[in-house]
Amino acid sequence: MSLQGLPTLSFEEGYTQLFGDNNLMLLRDGKTVHISLDKRTGAGFASQDLYLHGFFSASIKLPADYAAGVVVAFYMSNGDVFEKTHDELDFEFLGNVRGREWRVQTNVYGNGSTGVGREERYGLWFDPTEDFHHYSILWSHDRIIFYIDEVPIREVVRTQVMGGDFPSKPMSLYATIWDGSNWATSGGRYKVNYKYAPYVAEFANLILHGCSVDPTDHSSTCDKFDANRYNTIKISSDQRSVMENYRRKYMTYSYCYDGVRYAKPPPECSIDHHEAERLQGRHRRGRGRHRNPQDAAAI
């Protein structure tokens, strides 16, 4: 299966607004979505369907100028269906003070395992506020791959030691913007400054290419061939070389090397001592939530 040339959807074809009232705007016949944060509220939208595996992507342009405390999230979750045993796959974009770059964080939760956050944090090789860039999640039975501009930046392979912590239940796709002043920038040192509001995140090229499921009994609409085709996508040797180079150059945090949180690394971690030496001492816990708490009931 090729990931090139997959069809994009308009907002009405695949999504629904979660919260934010007029802070969500549709442009270009619904092919572009603007969600904004002001002092009153953030905004968010979600896929109309639940999916069990697939390829999920959007082109995103982040707010420019001073964006400390602002969090833009593009993620999959089933927390509204499985409150105590939810799964989650995250891209979180963390704003910064003027002159400092946005950072991106990925995370994986499975079966309610929020006590074991699997965060990684990275810099970017471009300014994400100047133009749109593609952010994608491949989720199959066997692996999860996070991509930026078609470059794989992280792979999580299903293993026996991860057990139920590997996401395995149907999830919806979400996009939100919200106030993360209490943690997002330097551990909460820099807050959202609403003098610069509204903060606008732009989404385009929306792709929902997966196995949708019936929300009542979670039966899949995919036949066996369709369901298996996502498992055929692997990282090539050339892609792996690019991914490893990106991680060496831009990864600034990995839960596997956080000795403060974990006296012993979680069992799926494969420790690279050169990487450990580079990353240790830079760690700060980066977990967050994906929506303004006052709007949580809207989901």
Side-chain angles (χ1 to χ4, degrees):
M1 174 185 168
S2 172
L3 299 179
Q4 303 300 318
L6 293 177
T8 61
L9 298 176
S10 68
F11 185 86
E12 291 85 354
E13 289 174 311
Y15 295 89
T16 186
Q17 183 170 356
L18 285 175
F19 66 97
D21 302 322
N22 295 331
N23 284 24
L24 185 149
M25 290 181 54
L26 302 181
L27 296 88
R28 296 180 56 243
D29 296 324
K31 293 296 182 77
T32 299
V33 187
H34 286 189
I35 53 175
S36 62
L37 169 69
D38 56 29
K39 200 163 188 177
R40 183 180 58 89
T41 184
F45 60 92
S47 61
Q48 296 170 13
D49 292 331
L50 286 161
Y51 294 88
L52 183 62
H53 308 141
F55 182 77
F56 309 93
S57 182
S59 297
I60 303 172
K61 184 179 178 183
L62 298 173
D65 205 11
Y66 183 99
V70 178
V71 180
V72 176
F74 179 66
Y75 66 105
M76 303 194 73
S77 178
N78 50 31
D80 56 338
V81 180
F82 303 99
E83 188 175 343
K84 296 181 184 291
T85 59
H86 89 285
D87 305 297
E88 202 165 297
L89 300 172
D90 304 336
F91 270 113
E92 288 179 314
F93 305 93
L94 311 178
N96 220 324
V97 297
R98 185 184 286 111
R100 299 286 297 276
E101 300 85 358
W102 281 76
R103 292 143 305 144
V104 61
Q105 178 167 290
T106 63
N107 206 346
V108 175
Y109 291 128
N111 204 33
S113 60
T114 54
V116 184
R118 292 178 167 84
E119 302 94 335
E120 291 185 353
R121 190 175 289 185
Y122 327 87
L124 295 166
W125 65 93
F126 53 81
D127 183 344
T129 72
E130 289 186 344
D131 204 350
F132 287 93
H133 291 268
H134 305 292
Y135 304 89
S136 310
I137 300 169
L138 171 76
W139 172 39
S140 75
H141 180 273
D142 297 329
R143 72 192 67 241
I144 297 154
I145 305 173
F146 294 89
Y147 299 86
I148 299 178
D149 284 345
E150 287 70 59
V151 173
I153 65 162
R154 180 180 186 181
E155 179 185 38
V156 179
V157 177
R158 187 178 195 134
T159 61
Q160 189 171 356
V161 294
M162 278 193 77
D165 285 4
F166 188 93
S168 57
K169 298 186 293 295
M171 291 190 277
S172 300
L173 187 72
Y174 295 87
T176 56
I177 185 169
W178 57 283
D179 185 331
S181 290
N182 62 334
W183 71 278
T185 309
S186 300
R189 180 179 176 187
Y190 299 103
K191 317 292 186 184
V192 173
N193 186 338
Y194 285 103
K195 177 176 73 174
Y196 300 99
Y199 297 96
V200 180
E202 304 176 50
F203 288 74
N205 299 316
L206 303 170
I207 294 176
L208 290 170
H209 198 277
C211 294
S212 59
V213 301
D214 187 313
T216 57
D217 62 7
H218 295 161
S219 60
S220 176
T221 60
C222 286
D223 60 26
K224 190 172 182 180
F225 174 79
D226 286 333
N228 284 336
R229 63 182 170 173
Y230 301 107
N231 287 326
T232 66
I233 300 173
K234 306 282 198 305
I235 295 178
S236 69
S237 57
D238 287 345
Q239 286 179 312
R240 190 165 299 281
S241 177
V242 171
M243 179 175 74
E244 290 172 354
N245 184 60
Y246 169 82
R247 292 169 66 81
R248 279 193 300 269
K249 190 169 183 180
Y250 292 103
M251 187 166 71
T252 59
Y253 174 90
S254 170
Y255 74 102
C256 286
Y257 302 106
D258 193 337
V260 174
R261 292 174 67 187
Y262 305 114
K264 182 180 179 182
E268 75 276 4
C269 290
S270 178
I271 300 302
D272 179 311
H273 293 292
H274 293 293
E275 197 168 68
E277 189 174 330
R278 181 175 69 83
L279 293 176
Q280 281 172 350
R282 304 181 66 174
H283 286 170
R284 181 185 299 274
R285 186 169 184 171
R287 280 182 56 201
R289 295 172 62 190
H290 302 289
R291 58 193 75 90
N292 190 327
Q294 72 187 39
D295 298 307
I299 298 179

